């Protein structure tokens, strides 16, 4: 009997489990080589790739249903987590569903932020680590190469990652549109909380190199500035530094405006009315609304950006529908390739089994001839037994096929091989 194997995707992510549990089953990069070897050795699965990020831990493998249960048990054991606690938060996809899931993950359709691009690189890294560990065989080689091709197609042929879907990213994208190259643009960031940190990260990714962080607590400004090779000042120094800033992005917890119309007006005079781009991400506002009345000041509020984000998110969701169609087609093409590979394998096995039967009966006939038996009778017996043995299994399979419209393909194959 041939063991029925399948492709599985086992995982836990931000949709199914809280961060506290996700942390417990996460794999550190240095753990992966040994974890992959241990997983394949203890469960005897033929392929394995482990993807572990802050939002998900997923194991892709090739094996049987019983081996899938062993992989779940191994995951709990490896991380010393109670299996009963872990089980309700796991999902397990098989065959085409597993392929589609992998492709959706790589394309950013299953991410916390729809369409985020980092996950593609993370999937590629997981695949490369598994290859280095020797746990990627030809079938998974084909699966992941097809996945990368589909994910690239989604990126290039849809708008899944084209538009900002966070106010921090929207602010930076807007600045990029206005100034183009941000390398020589001077940016003043007011605040040192999570939002400003995210803004600084996006600015750095877009090539901005001249950042200044202003905060009420100078030590916090220094701490954030050090992460991005920026300068640090206090809020008291903002009026003096404002004239040097081409871009001002503010997000503090202040109950009163920090940047007033008069302050900006004075800064613009010092700048000889060179335009200034200001973004107020705070609620309540950090920048007085009247600043927008100044001719060379371009002020955007969090409400302005929220409307951009809402429209962009809607655009991404429409793109996601296009992407799903591409993924369904990609998964179907891989399934077709898999079917063809399976057919080649069992046809080879069938031919080998027929050859074994021929060799077995030929050896028996040769012994009979050597013992002096009548050659004509020996040949007649040989031909009769050979044809009967070769016809028995196909005849049995055809009868089953006629009697049962829902006959399992694997049952049919095993019947044909039972010569």
């Amino acid at each position: 009997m041939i063991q029925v194997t399948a492709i599985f995707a086992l995982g836990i992510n931000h949709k199914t489990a809280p961060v506290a549990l996700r942390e417990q089953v996460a794999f550190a990069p240095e753990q992966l080589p040994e974890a992959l070897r241990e997983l394949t050795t203890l469960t005897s699965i033929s392929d394995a790739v482990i993807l572990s990020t802050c939002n998900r831990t997923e194991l892709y493998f090739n094996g049987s249903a019983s081996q899938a249960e062993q992989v779940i048990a191994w995951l709990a054991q490896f991380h010393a987590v109670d299996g009963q606690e872990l089980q309700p938060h796991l999902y397990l996809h098989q065959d085409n569903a597993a392929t589609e899931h992998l492709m959706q993950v790589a394309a950013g359709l299953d991410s916390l932020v729809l369409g985020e691009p980092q996950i593609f690189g993370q999937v590629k890294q997981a695949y490369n680590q598994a290859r280095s560990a020797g746990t990627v065989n030809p079938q998974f080689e084909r699966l992941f190469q097809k996945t990368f091709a589909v994910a690239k197609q989604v990126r290039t042929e849809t708008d899944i990652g084209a538009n900002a879907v966070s106010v921090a990213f929207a602010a930076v994208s807007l600045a990029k549109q206005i100034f183009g190259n941000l390398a020589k643009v001077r940016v003043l960031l007011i605040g040192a909380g999570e939002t400003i940190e995210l803004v600084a990260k996006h600015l750095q990714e877009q090539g901005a190199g001249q950042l200044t962080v202003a905060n009420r607590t100078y030590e916090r400004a220094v701490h954030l500035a050090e992460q991005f090779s920026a300068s640090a000042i206090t809020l008291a120094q903002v009026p003096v530094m404002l004239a040097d800033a081409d871009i001002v992005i503010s997000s503090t917890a202040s109950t009163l405006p920090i940047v007033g119309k008069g302050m900006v007006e004075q800064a613009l005079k010092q700048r000889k009315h060179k335009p200034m781009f200001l973004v107020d991400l705070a609620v309540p506002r950090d920048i007085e609304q009247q600043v927008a009345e100044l001719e060379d000041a371009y002020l955007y509020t969090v409400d302005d950006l929220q409307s951009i984000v809402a429209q962009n998110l809607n655009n991404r969701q429409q793109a996601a529908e296009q992407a799903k169609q591409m993924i369904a087609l990609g998964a179907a093409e891989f399934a077709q390739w898999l079917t063809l590979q399976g057919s080649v394998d069992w046809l080879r096995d069938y031919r080998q089994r027929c050859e074994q039967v021929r060799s077995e009966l030929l050896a028996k006939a040769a012994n009979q001839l050597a013992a002096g038996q009548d050659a004509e009778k020996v040949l007649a017996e040989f031909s009769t037994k050979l044809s009967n043995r070769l016809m028995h299994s196909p005849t049995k399979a055809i009868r089953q096929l006629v009697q049962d419209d829902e006959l399992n393909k694997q049952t049919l194959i095993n019947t044909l091989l039972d010569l």
Side-chain angles (χ1 to χ4, degrees):
M1 294 286 286
I2 294 176
Q3 187 183 37
V4 181
T5 61
I7 294 171
F8 290 96
L10 169 70
I12 183 172
N13 66 17
H14 58 280
K15 298 175 185 176
T16 68
V19 65
L21 185 56
R22 298 202 305 273
E23 287 174 340
Q24 291 181 62
V25 294
F27 290 85
E30 61 272 14
Q31 287 181 301
L32 284 174
E34 182 58 34
L36 286 162
R37 284 190 285 270
E38 182 180 308
L39 171 61
T40 52
T41 300
L42 293 180
T43 64
S44 298
I45 56 177
S46 59
D47 297 82
V49 174
I50 298 175
L51 172 65
S52 189
T53 73
C54 57
N55 286 325
R56 70 181 67 245
T57 291
E58 293 184 336
L59 287 74
Y60 296 90
F61 57 94
N62 196 342
S64 64
S66 61
Q67 286 173 314
E69 293 300 320
Q70 293 173 26
V71 171
I72 294 172
W74 173 85
L75 179 64
Q77 177 270 326
F78 185 89
H79 291 290
V81 176
D82 184 347
Q84 291 185 336
E85 179 189 352
L86 181 63
Q87 188 81 39
H89 301 279
L90 293 172
Y91 45 86
L92 182 66
H93 304 300
Q94 183 175 335
D95 290 330
N96 198 64
T99 301
E100 287 197 1
H101 179 77
L102 173 59
M103 291 179 177
Q104 287 176 356
V105 169
L109 268 64
D110 196 58
S111 297
L112 184 61
V113 177
L114 180 64
E116 63 95 358
Q118 287 84 3
I119 188 64
F120 178 79
Q122 291 168 330
V123 173
K124 208 160 192 178
Q125 184 179 15
Y127 157 77
N128 286 329
Q129 288 171 322
R131 279 194 72 190
S132 297
T135 61
V136 172
N137 291 306
Q139 190 179 96
F140 262 38
E141 179 76 33
R142 180 80 176 207
L143 169 63
F144 277 83
Q145 291 304 330
K146 185 65 176 178
T147 295
F148 299 145
V150 170
K152 285 179 182 177
Q153 182 188 12
V154 168
R155 286 278 159 196
T156 55
E157 297 183 19
T158 77
D159 290 332
I160 192 70
N163 304 297
V165 289
S166 73
V167 289
F169 191 35
V172 175
S173 298
L174 210 51
K176 178 80 170 173
Q177 288 177 33
I178 293 169
F179 291 94
N181 188 350
L182 298 180
K184 295 182 180 180
V185 175
R186 290 169 295 187
V187 183
L188 174 61
L189 302 175
I190 304 176
E194 289 182 7
T195 300
I196 289 297
E197 183 176 354
L198 192 56
V199 168
K201 180 182 176 184
H202 290 315
L203 282 166
Q204 191 177 64
E205 289 171 350
Q206 295 300 321
Q210 300 182 52
L211 307 182
T212 300
V213 179
N215 193 57
R216 190 177 306 280
T217 306
Y218 180 68
E219 287 75 16
R220 289 195 64 183
V222 170
H223 178 71
L224 181 60
E226 285 175 345
Q227 297 178 47
F228 301 97
S229 302
S231 304
I233 62 173
T234 65
L235 290 185
Q237 295 172 277
V238 167
V240 177
M241 299 296 295
L242 199 59
D244 289 330
D246 302 305
I247 298 171
V248 179
I249 303 177
S250 185
S251 178
T252 75
S254 175
T255 56
L256 296 171
I258 293 169
V259 178
K261 181 182 178 182
M263 189 189 300
V264 177
E265 195 168 20
Q266 183 62 33
L268 287 170
K269 285 180 182 177
Q270 291 179 252
R271 289 170 61 81
K272 297 181 181 179
H273 293 278
K274 183 181 177 182
M276 184 185 294
F277 174 63
L278 303 100
V279 181
D280 189 352
L281 300 179
V283 179
R285 299 183 187 199
D286 280 343
I287 303 173
E288 284 185 348
Q289 186 178 358
Q290 290 77 10
V291 168
E293 299 169 4
L294 298 172
E295 188 173 343
D296 298 306
Y298 299 89
L299 174 63
Y300 288 83
T301 68
V302 70
D303 288 341
D304 297 325
L305 296 181
Q306 286 286 14
S307 63
I308 294 172
V309 167
Q311 181 58 49
N312 288 349
L313 189 56
N314 183 54
N315 292 342
R316 283 199 179 192
Q317 287 168 340
Q318 291 177 15
E321 292 306 312
Q322 291 178 265
K324 286 177 183 177
Q325 294 175 18
M326 294 176 182
I327 287 169
L329 179 60
E333 288 171 350
F334 175 73
Q336 185 179 31
W337 176 84
L338 211 55
T339 299
L340 290 173
Q341 292 302 112
S343 299
V344 169
D345 290 342
W346 75 258
L347 282 172
R348 184 191 62 239
D349 291 342
Y350 181 66
R351 289 176 65 89
Q352 288 176 349
R353 191 72 185 97
C354 289
E355 179 61 25
Q356 288 173 2
V357 170
R358 187 194 70 82
S359 297
E360 175 190 324
L361 294 177
L362 184 60
K364 184 178 179 181
N367 289 335
Q368 289 174 328
L369 289 173
Q373 294 187 27
D374 182 70
E376 191 173 337
K377 288 183 179 180
V378 170
L379 289 174
E381 181 183 350
F382 168 75
S383 62
T384 301
K385 286 186 175 180
L386 180 62
S387 60
N388 285 342
R389 288 279 295 274
L390 294 182
M391 287 191 297
H392 172 72
S393 295
T395 302
K396 184 179 176 183
I398 290 169
R399 283 175 181 161
Q400 288 184 346
L401 193 60
V402 171
Q403 293 169 2
D404 188 355
D405 292 336
E406 297 182 0
L407 180 69
N408 182 277
K409 182 181 75 172
Q410 194 63 49
T411 301
L412 176 61
I413 292 170
N414 285 329
T415 302
L416 284 171
L417 294 178
D418 186 24
L419 295 173

